[in-house]
Amino acid sequence: MLSRGRSRGPYEAAVLRTLREAGPSSRTRISEITGLSQATISKAVGTMVDKGLLRESVAAEPRMGRPSVTLTPSADAVTVCGVQIEYGTIRLGLADAESRVRTVHSVPFDVTAQPSDVLDLIAAEIERMVAKDDGAPCIGVAVGIPGAVDEARRINRLTLNLGWRDVPIADHLERKLEVPVVVDHHVRLMALAEARYGERAGNGIAYLYVRQGVGLGVAPAGNASYTGGPAGEAFLGHTRVVEDGELCRCGARGCLETMVAEPYLRARLRRAGHAAAVPDGTAVLAGLHRLAAEGDPAAVEIETDVVRHLASALATVVNLFTPDLVLVGGIVAEAPGSTITRIRELTRERIFPLLREDLRLEPAHHSESASVRGAATLALEVSHYT
Ligand SMILES: [Zn+2]
């Protein structure tokens, strides 16, 4: 159990959102932006300063009149927990009010275990991590998962590689932890964190994450409110790209995943006799590139397939959503620079001419902690800024 009886004033979230968007501001400015009376804001801000949620600083202005007092949110006033469920691995971390992640760690789990046992393991890990942490109390938890979630962000509707269906993740963890818990599609969360806190954010971000499967997340720019919805969670990985292609775990044939996701790439390398040349746990696209550069015909064919299919998929994303920035994560972020360049050039050829010049397609930094940061960002949205 994490709850320490945190109570929130009625206007706390509104004040915090205002300061996040407008930067450090005076009481008068907060009142103007929120439309709430000066008296209401003064009372709310006073309580928040007492609680350590805001810091006051006095600007020494040489002009006549009263010195202006500016309010700044204290990033270390709260802690949130971000969790990412991957195939056989749980990644967890704690973050501050600006989604800066600390203490990330991973624990393995048996993929054949019952979902409730995996959730019990997650709850125990969170409790242990929070007990060891000397930061502010943990006010909320968010869980990212590859797969579909319900509209209320409480239930994992379907995750193919784990065989999970209608798992009440939020209810289960809330019973154990007694703090608010939400669940969302993992790549949508990565896109949300980049749009909200990334240095490279523009008018919108598309995030393509390839590892066990292919996940796409689309998020609006930093100051836009996060609404989720169908545009943020897409099943691009199950678009057919090869007629009568390989059988996909979704039951269909020739899905994008069967051409670019890691398990399928490793199976093709195995069939070509290259399992030992690209051992499990190493960057698969780097190993593939090495073999292709040596002139191995099977490796050349597999690499060409990956680059072409990724470029087509990314071009579809760019044509549909026209994001300012496209980030590629997972095994693609670990690919050699020359592979990324080829993917970028082929994507550019395949998009609408007006979009070509401005296309920004880059590997995601910190691809692995991106998922924890994404989940932490959602926990903040729900438990701190709303
Ligand atoms: Zn499929």
Side-chain angles (χ1 to χ4, degrees):
M1 193 175 89
L2 300 180
S3 174
R4 300 183 202 173
R6 177 177 184 257
S7 67
R8 289 206 288 168
Y11 304 109
E12 272 186 18
V15 170
L16 289 167
R17 277 200 308 277
T18 302
L19 292 173
R20 181 172 67 179
E21 275 149 42
S25 307
S26 66
R27 286 171 171 78
T28 309
R29 184 85 188 103
I30 298 170
S31 159
E32 282 165 9
I33 294 172
T34 57
L36 295 162
S37 75
Q38 289 244 28
T40 302
I41 290 301
S42 279
K43 188 159 177 262
V45 162
T47 312
M48 291 170 76
V49 169
D50 290 345
K51 286 160 89 172
L53 290 169
L54 301 178
R55 289 193 184 101
E56 284 182 306
S57 52
V58 181
E61 286 186 43
R63 284 183 285 133
M64 296 282 285
R66 291 199 297 171
S68 103
V69 178
T70 300
L71 296 147
T72 310
S74 312
D76 55 5
V78 294
T79 294
V80 288
C81 174
V83 181
Q84 156 75 4
I85 300 175
E86 293 165 31
Y87 185 75
T89 305
I90 296 153
R91 216 176 285 277
L92 313 94
L94 298 174
D96 70 9
E98 285 167 16
S99 213
R100 281 185 295 248
V101 176
R102 59 182 189 268
T103 65
V104 180
H105 76 288
S106 307
V107 281
F109 72 92
D110 175 6
V111 293
T112 63
Q114 286 299 312
S116 58
D117 292 338
V118 179
L119 295 177
D120 285 348
L121 171 69
I122 291 173
E125 284 294 328
I126 293 173
E127 285 187 320
R128 225 168 40 173
M129 184 171 63
V130 168
K132 275 198 287 188
D133 184 66
D134 52 12
C138 178
I139 58 165
V141 176
V143 180
I145 187 157
V149 298
D150 72 325
E151 240 172 73
R153 297 197 296 240
R154 303 197 61 80
I155 298 167
N156 170 220
R157 300 274 321 282
L158 177 64
T159 293
L160 288 169
N161 62 6
L162 292 172
W164 287 17
R165 195 180 273 276
D166 295 325
V167 179
I169 293 180
D171 282 352
H172 191 110
L173 292 179
E174 278 182 359
R175 269 199 306 277
K176 296 255 168 194
L177 300 170
E178 298 192 3
V179 293
V181 179
V182 276
V183 56
D184 208 336
H185 183 258
H186 65 151
V187 190
R188 176 155 64 182
L189 296 180
M190 295 179 203
L192 168 70
E194 282 292 339
R196 176 75 69 204
Y197 298 107
E199 284 163 21
R200 299 167 292 177
N203 278 332
I205 283 183
Y207 201 124
L208 189 81
Y209 184 84
V210 183
R211 195 165 287 282
Q212 288 287 321
V214 176
L216 171 69
V218 180
N223 290 340
S225 65
Y226 172 69
T227 53
E233 175 189 293
F235 303 103
L236 185 70
H238 299 287
T239 306
R240 177 163 301 188
V241 297
V242 181
E243 280 306 322
D244 304 318
E246 201 172 329
L247 185 64
C248 177
R249 60 194 176 172
C250 76
R253 280 194 179 275
C255 293
L256 174 64
E257 284 196 8
T258 67
M259 298 307 291
V260 303
E262 184 166 11
Y264 297 94
L265 294 184
R266 290 203 177 274
R268 277 181 84 179
L269 282 165
R270 250 192 325 273
R271 290 198 293 271
H274 292 315
V278 191
D280 285 357
T282 61
V284 65
L285 292 184
L288 182 60
H289 184 70
R290 214 168 36 242
L291 289 169
E294 288 163 8
D296 178 85
V300 170
E301 189 186 315
I302 300 170
E303 190 181 43
T304 304
D305 277 349
V306 172
V307 169
R308 283 185 182 160
H309 285 294
L310 281 176
S312 286
L314 288 163
T316 302
V317 171
V318 173
N319 283 334
L320 282 176
F321 299 108
T322 61
D324 272 9
L325 175 64
V326 180
L327 291 173
V328 287
I331 62 168
V332 189
E334 297 161 4
S338 59
T339 305
I340 302 275
T341 302
R342 273 181 73 196
I343 293 169
R344 188 186 297 117
E345 290 313 310
L346 274 191
T347 304
R348 188 168 275 134
E349 281 176 17
R350 291 163 196 220
I351 57 180
F352 188 67
L354 290 179
L355 303 173
R356 280 179 197 149
E357 204 178 313
D358 294 332
L359 175 72
R360 288 170 67 208
L361 191 156
E362 298 169 15
H365 299 314
H366 315 300
S367 196
E368 294 317 313
S369 64
S371 53
V372 169
R373 181 166 168 249
T377 303
L378 177 61
L380 284 169
E381 292 297 315
V382 172
S383 299
H384 197 50
Y385 292 108
T386 306

